[in-house]
Amino acid sequence: MLSLVKRNILVYIRDKMAFFMSFLSVVILLVLYQVFLGQIQLDAIKESMGTATVSSPVIHMVNLWLVAGLTTIVSLTSTLGAFSVMVSDREKKLNEDFEISSCPSWKLELSYIIAAVILGTLVTILCFFFGVLLFNGFNYLQIFSFPDFLKILGLIVMSCLLSAAIVLPFLSLIKSGSAFSTLSTIIGTLIGFLSGVYIAIGSVGSVLAQVMTWFPMTQMNAMLKNVLMSHSLHKVFAEAPQSVENEYKISYGLALRTINNHTLSNNEMLLYVSMCMIGLLTIYMLLKKGMRYGK
């Protein structure tokens, strides 16, 4: 198993240009988010406050909101990108060579998943640190305690596991590199909207807001925002009524409400995300089983 996982990782990083481009795309996203999405939120805050400028704590808070969203997106796109090894093996019929040998098919499938989650986690962690350093500076990392970093790491790993579970049912139908590229483009575009990164959940209608609320990556994004932004929220809203802070959390996806106005707790979101992962992996296994019987 370990040798298969190592092989999949080495095959992925062997294409140095593709590996470099995955990091370059992260840098491009960071810059675009800062220029466009960050400015949109800052303008909205200025308008609500009736001022022409905002304080540095507000800017830091908005930057962390962007970093949380970017981290969520990269956890999915980087994990999906690492599955290119699996698709390439199918296209070249290498998976059949493995299956003819003494290697069980389940072990081969699991090696692809483990390799993709490891690679996705590493890229996402680098993205998180680079985002904080680029937007708020190295000193800003000191506001996070060791338990905070453990929570962030745990959420990143869980987000990559969820990402793998989300894309696997789709990947079971993909057998060519061109189809994989198309799927990557579609998923990479949709994930930003459905998880409330490109548009704030408070700016859409109630029906779409509920769709976004129950999309599991949105809940991962909300949990990550709450960890990253807790110190900034306390500083920015220290002298404001609690209702103002609550309104901000709801508008920008830190607090997710159900259709009956129940605010989801972290434990509820963790349970829901875990159930989604189990359900999606079950669907993937059923699809693979059906394909084997169909041969």
Side-chain angles (χ1 to χ4, degrees):
M1 173 65 75
L2 291 177
S3 60
L4 283 173
V5 172
K6 181 180 178 181
R7 176 259 177 190
N8 294 335
I9 293 175
L10 291 176
V11 169
Y12 180 71
I13 64 177
R14 188 179 299 161
D15 188 348
K16 294 181 175 57
M17 180 56 66
F19 194 58
F20 170 75
M21 290 301 293
S22 67
F23 285 100
L24 181 61
S25 63
V26 170
V27 175
I28 294 172
L29 283 173
L30 283 168
V31 174
L32 290 177
Y33 285 178
Q34 174 68 357
V35 173
F36 295 105
L37 293 180
Q39 192 58 48
I40 289 172
Q41 189 176 158
L42 287 174
D43 290 340
I45 293 173
K46 290 176 187 177
E47 184 178 352
S48 64
M49 295 174 59
T51 60
T53 59
V54 291
S55 62
S56 58
V58 173
I59 295 175
H60 290 156
M61 181 185 72
V62 172
N63 287 342
L64 290 175
W65 184 86
L66 295 171
V67 170
L70 179 64
T71 302
T72 302
I73 290 179
V74 171
S75 70
L76 189 142
T77 56
S78 59
T79 303
L80 174 59
F83 276 114
S84 62
V85 177
M86 181 175 73
V87 176
S88 177
D89 285 353
R90 285 180 190 166
E91 191 172 27
K92 298 174 182 176
K93 306 295 183 180
L94 292 178
N95 61 317
E96 296 180 4
D97 295 338
F98 284 116
E99 291 172 1
I100 291 173
S101 68
S102 58
C103 177
S105 59
W106 68 265
K107 187 176 288 188
L108 179 61
E109 295 287 335
L110 187 58
S111 71
Y112 290 129
I113 296 172
I114 294 174
V117 171
I118 290 174
L119 288 165
T121 299
L122 291 175
V123 173
T124 306
I125 290 172
L126 288 173
C127 166
F128 161 73
F129 279 107
F130 187 69
V132 175
L133 294 176
L134 178 65
F135 291 158
N136 289 351
F138 180 80
N139 291 333
Y140 204 83
L141 288 172
Q142 298 175 6
I143 72 167
F144 299 113
S145 64
F146 182 69
D148 288 335
F149 281 117
L150 289 180
K151 290 178 184 177
I152 293 167
L153 176 60
L155 288 172
I156 287 176
V157 173
M158 190 172 188
S159 186
C160 291
L161 286 169
L162 174 61
S163 299
I166 288 174
V167 301
L168 277 170
F170 297 100
L171 289 175
S172 65
L173 308 173
I174 300 297
K175 297 181 180 179
S176 68
S178 58
F180 178 76
S181 299
T182 302
L183 177 67
S184 300
T185 302
I186 294 172
I187 290 181
T189 303
L190 286 178
I191 187 65
F193 290 102
L194 290 176
S195 60
V197 176
Y198 294 153
I199 52 175
I201 195 170
S203 64
V204 301
S206 58
V207 175
L208 182 55
Q210 285 303 302
V211 172
M212 294 166 67
T213 295
W214 292 109
F215 183 60
M217 292 302 291
T218 306
Q219 299 194 13
M220 290 302 310
N221 190 19
M223 288 187 283
L224 189 58
K225 286 175 184 175
N226 278 289
V227 176
L228 293 183
M229 299 172 65
S230 59
H231 302 284
S232 296
L233 288 168
H234 179 72
K235 183 178 293 187
V236 171
F237 296 101
E239 299 179 2
Q242 185 63 42
S243 59
V244 176
E245 182 178 350
N246 291 339
E247 184 179 350
Y248 175 83
K249 287 182 176 181
I250 294 170
S251 296
Y252 288 95
L254 284 82
L256 300 177
R257 281 187 174 179
T258 63
I259 196 168
N260 58 353
N261 286 328
H262 169 68
T263 301
L264 296 172
S265 66
N266 281 340
N267 289 337
E268 289 171 329
M269 288 189 284
L270 285 171
L271 177 61
Y272 177 75
V273 169
S274 300
M275 291 173 61
C276 286
M277 281 195 285
I278 294 172
L280 289 164
L281 289 173
T282 301
I283 292 172
Y284 174 67
M285 289 187 289
L286 290 174
L287 287 171
K288 293 295 292 184
K289 187 176 181 180
M291 288 178 179
R292 280 195 289 269
Y293 283 136
K295 289 183 178 180

